[in-house]
Amino acid sequence: MRERDLGTAAASVLAWVGATAFLICLLVRKIVPYPRWDLLACLAFSAVASLAWWLRATGRWRSRLGGVVPPTLGLKMGRWWWPPMRGLCTILAVWLLSVPFFLLAFSVSDNSPQLAVITQHDYRFATVTITKIQHSYRNQSKAGTTYVSVVTVEAPGRDAHGKALRLRGTTRTSDRVRTGERLTGGLYAPDAPSLGIIMTGSGHLASLLGGPASPGEMVMLALIGAFPVTIFFISFFTARTKADPLTPGSVLGDRPARRLRVRIAGGTAGRWLTAPDPKKNSGDPQTTLSPALRLSSPEGTRDLFIDRCLDPQALAGVLEGQAGWLYWAPDSGKPPEWSVAALLVLDDDRYVYGVTPPGRAEDLPQGEPADLPLPDARSLRAVGPYALWQPAVHGPGMYGFGLGFLAICLIVAGVNSGGGPLLSMCFVSAVGGPVAGLLLIQRRRTVYLRRLAGGPCDTEATIAGLRNPP
């Protein structure tokens, strides 16, 4: 169990600073000849910060500098039950990282070898007239219909023989183009007509010539980033309205509650049951594989199932031997095997939220009735911190993130910048690597919990036993 200290918090902030600098460099100068040393420097900065975070989180780098984050800097995060927000934070982080990735994709698609050669000459931007249409095809999608046409245009200027310049290029329009139609602009080199022409709008021209991203691209990126941020803050402030520490009364409500004097005995895992899914016709209860704290009492043992993001062994390691009260409220309308909300309140005024099956008196300790609210209600705080790095879960999944990071480095270094298969492989790896890493982390977590639970659980046998109790 590692505490989130100032070292890991600072490393996280610096890694995001590198990602933000990466985005700013692309916004300020969208297209620059490869390799993009400014982007490589931002990536190197983030890589060093991520490495420092990993060394601190795994305990390989121990330093007297950077103690535990004070509660005031945590905005009282230590008082409310934080695990439900972890999934939303992960989605937000992945979504925000997609913003600079999309802008990088726009930059690579526009930074063509044709553009690099044209800008090496005395280039010109002017309105042109279509003189011939080689071919045109319609591209229809949900966003609308566009036409991509290869045309020959007449541009201002004269060739080596004194004739009007005839250049070939590709244009994308919302309607079919016609011979004699004038296009708003094209970028070309009058002294090298064989290089062709790049048809583009005046708003996009500055970004092609080493300037900032176009207004349309900035608006689109702002919308992509604003949507998840808005959802996050709505969810966050909604949660903040419930940011007071959980208490037995707030968790159990008005139902008759029970409490059991327990002691932390270790970490384990298992499956707990809830009401059947109404969308399924089987009527079988739902089973959820989750980590759990094994609680011992003079009457027997109970399991408190906790959030999947928690490492039960690491959590039990720092809490082992501590005593407290487990509170739960059986629901008379549900079978005793179906789990209900529970709260473990330790003697040091910390709490752990989870679920536990009420069970029958003959198989699980039932404790004693509890009168809520408690007369000696104290200010509680959530148990923490959590295990920043779980070797059995996170380690293998990091290879996917490493592959994606390496792919981004190759892209900004200019590998196969002409649009060859290697560049396509890099983009696929940049997207697929992190996705595969997240899926592998989820898979490894399931394997880890099954191992703690003693192997795969025979769900059908469990359900059959519930239907036909001895």
Side-chain angles (χ1 to χ4, degrees):
M1 201 75 166
R2 289 284 300 164
E3 296 193 5
R4 180 180 290 278
D5 56 23
L6 289 176
T8 54
S12 299
V13 171
L14 291 177
W16 279 104
V17 167
T20 304
F22 185 94
L23 175 61
I24 293 175
C25 288
L26 280 172
L27 288 173
V28 174
R29 300 181 68 196
K30 177 185 169 185
I31 294 178
V32 176
Y34 293 111
R36 290 289 303 262
W37 295 110
D38 54 344
L39 300 183
L40 287 173
C42 295
L43 291 173
F45 186 85
S46 292
V48 172
S50 299
L51 177 61
W53 181 93
W54 179 77
L55 292 174
R56 296 282 295 190
T58 57
R60 289 175 170 83
W61 178 17
R62 299 185 181 275
S63 172
R64 295 181 179 179
L65 299 176
V68 177
V69 177
T72 53
L73 297 181
L75 301 178
K76 298 184 180 179
M77 293 283 284
R79 301 192 62 187
W80 60 300
W81 193 241
W82 45 264
M85 291 292 292
R86 276 182 58 81
L88 182 62
C89 291
T90 301
I91 295 174
L92 175 67
V94 172
W95 194 300
L96 290 180
L97 287 176
S98 69
V99 175
F101 177 77
F102 279 129
L103 187 55
L104 177 64
F106 296 151
S107 172
V108 171
S109 64
D110 290 340
N111 197 356
S112 62
Q114 181 188 20
L115 174 65
V117 176
I118 288 177
T119 52
Q120 290 176 359
H121 291 74
D122 185 16
Y123 57 85
R124 185 175 179 181
F125 182 78
T127 300
V128 296
T129 303
I130 298 176
T131 59
K132 184 178 180 181
I133 301 175
Q134 267 72 29
H135 59 81
S136 178
Y137 67 90
R138 184 176 67 175
N139 182 19
Q140 191 167 4
S141 64
K142 295 181 179 179
T145 302
T146 58
Y147 294 87
V148 179
S149 308
V150 177
V151 298
T152 299
V153 300
E154 181 178 319
R158 298 289 176 177
D159 60 13
H161 303 288
K163 298 181 180 180
L165 280 177
R166 304 274 178 167
L167 307 171
R168 186 168 178 172
T170 302
T171 180
R172 184 184 298 271
T173 58
S174 57
D175 297 314
R176 290 186 182 275
V177 295
R178 295 175 177 83
T179 302
E181 182 178 348
R182 291 173 65 83
L183 300 178
T184 54
L187 184 67
Y188 62 99
D191 59 338
S194 61
L195 299 178
I197 185 171
I198 298 175
M199 248 76 79
T200 184
S202 57
H204 193 226
L205 177 65
S207 65
L208 295 181
L209 301 179
S214 65
E217 290 171 336
M218 289 188 179
V219 171
M220 185 178 64
L221 293 173
L223 292 176
I224 292 175
F227 175 73
V229 171
T230 302
I231 298 299
F232 173 80
F233 278 108
I234 291 175
S235 302
F236 181 77
F237 285 109
T238 300
R240 294 293 291 170
T241 61
K242 304 175 182 178
D244 292 334
L246 295 178
T247 62
S250 64
V251 171
L252 307 181
D254 298 331
R255 288 179 296 165
R258 302 194 68 85
R259 69 175 186 173
L260 177 69
R261 185 65 178 175
V262 296
R263 188 175 296 275
I264 309 294
T268 183
R271 293 183 181 270
W272 51 279
L273 305 179
T274 53
D277 188 348
K279 297 181 181 179
K280 298 181 180 179
N281 298 323
S282 63
D284 294 333
Q286 298 185 83
T287 61
T288 304
L289 177 64
S290 297
L293 289 177
R294 179 65 50 85
L295 309 177
S296 64
S297 73
E299 305 174 35
T301 61
R302 268 186 172 275
D303 286 343
L304 176 66
F305 297 99
I306 53 181
D307 299 83
R308 277 180 65 95
C309 65
L310 297 172
D311 185 339
Q313 290 188 323
L315 183 59
V318 296
L319 299 179
E320 188 171 6
Q322 295 202 34
W325 289 95
L326 178 67
Y327 294 86
W328 76 96
D331 190 339
S332 58
K334 297 179 180 178
E337 292 80 10
W338 293 5
S339 295
V340 295
L343 193 72
L344 172 63
V345 180
L346 300 175
D347 292 342
D348 60 1
D349 297 339
R350 291 186 295 170
Y351 69 87
V352 180
Y353 174 77
V355 299
T356 188
R360 299 179 179 86
E362 61 270 16
D363 60 4
L364 288 176
Q366 296 298 307
E368 61 187 36
D371 295 327
L372 299 180
L374 299 176
D376 58 340
R378 306 182 302 271
S379 178
L380 304 178
R381 57 191 176 92
V383 162
Y386 55 92
L388 298 177
W389 181 263
Q390 301 174 27
V393 173
H394 295 145
M398 289 297 103
Y399 291 113
F401 288 89
L403 176 62
F405 183 82
L406 177 60
I408 295 294
C409 291
L410 292 176
I411 292 172
V412 301
V415 60
N416 222 183
S417 57
L422 184 56
L423 180 62
S424 299
M425 289 178 60
C426 287
F427 271 103
V428 171
S429 299
V431 176
V435 172
L438 289 174
L439 293 176
L440 185 56
I441 287 174
Q442 293 296 324
R443 173 61 182 169
R444 294 290 299 184
R445 191 183 302 278
T446 300
V447 172
Y448 173 60
L449 294 179
R450 283 178 177 171
R451 179 169 58 82
L452 288 180
C457 180
D458 189 345
T459 306
E460 295 182 359
T462 303
I463 294 174
L466 296 177
R467 289 175 173 173
N468 304 291

